[in-house]
Amino acid sequence: MPVNPELLGREFPSTQPYLVGREKVREFARAVFADAPQHLDPEAARALGYADVVAPPTFAMVIQDLTLQQLLSEPDSGIALERTIHAKQSFRWSRPIVAGDELTGRLTVTGLRAMGSGAMVTSETEITAGGGDHVVTATSVLLIGGDE
């Protein structure tokens, strides 16, 4: 089944709130070799004006993944995970993610381009904090292979 062209413009419901934990930030920082003190030490982060440890920029993928799961599990999408490659990723920040943030994500399919029997699907996930304040917009491009 080809990618459903009606995905373009589709908005998905906001994810359940995700409470960013200090240890999750530290684990992620170690995994991506982000060894700056503000990622690991609350005192170092506070010295820079933050309430707690600061997540490395790509930590936003933890929240965005929750929204991409919605897209990938959509029954009429035509997207098969086994034919999907995460081709591109970008972020537009309002502020860093800090331990203690409660974040939600909301995905919108913003682009869909046929490529032979496959497609390129672009989505934007708006990640907001508890009060609705914008934190980051994460943009992903998925390359979907066609049926053989």
Side-chain angles (χ1 to χ4, degrees):
M1 168 166 116
V3 173
N4 182 351
E6 292 179 11
L7 280 178
L8 184 60
R10 189 173 298 180
E11 294 181 13
F12 289 81
S14 293
T15 60
Q16 291 296 311
Y18 178 94
L19 180 59
V20 178
R22 181 183 292 163
E23 289 309 313
K24 289 292 183 184
V25 170
R26 288 174 169 161
E27 290 169 1
F28 191 92
R30 284 190 292 272
V32 298
F33 301 98
D35 57 3
Q38 68 268 21
H39 301 310
L40 306 168
D41 179 10
E43 292 308 316
R46 286 186 193 104
L48 294 172
Y50 299 103
D52 209 321
V53 292
V54 178
T58 53
F59 187 89
M61 281 304 301
V62 172
I63 312 306
Q64 186 183 30
D65 179 63
L66 299 172
T67 67
L68 288 170
Q69 293 301 322
Q70 292 173 315
L71 172 62
L72 294 172
S73 65
E74 189 70 7
D76 72 341
S77 71
I79 298 173
L81 186 58
E82 66 273 10
R83 295 187 331 242
T84 302
I85 297 172
H86 191 174
K88 185 177 176 184
Q89 182 68 46
S90 63
F91 302 99
R92 194 172 60 249
W93 293 93
S94 291
R95 67 163 179 84
I97 295 172
V98 176
D101 281 342
E102 195 166 298
L103 304 174
T104 58
R106 184 172 174 90
L107 181 139
T108 303
V109 177
T110 57
L112 200 148
R113 183 174 134 208
M115 297 179 65
S117 62
M120 189 169 18
V121 178
T122 303
S123 65
E124 287 191 355
T125 298
E126 296 291 329
I127 299 174
T128 57
D133 297 332
H134 180 266
V135 176
V136 58
T137 300
T139 303
S140 283
V141 177
L142 302 177
L143 186 57
I144 318 299
D147 290 332
E148 294 189 31

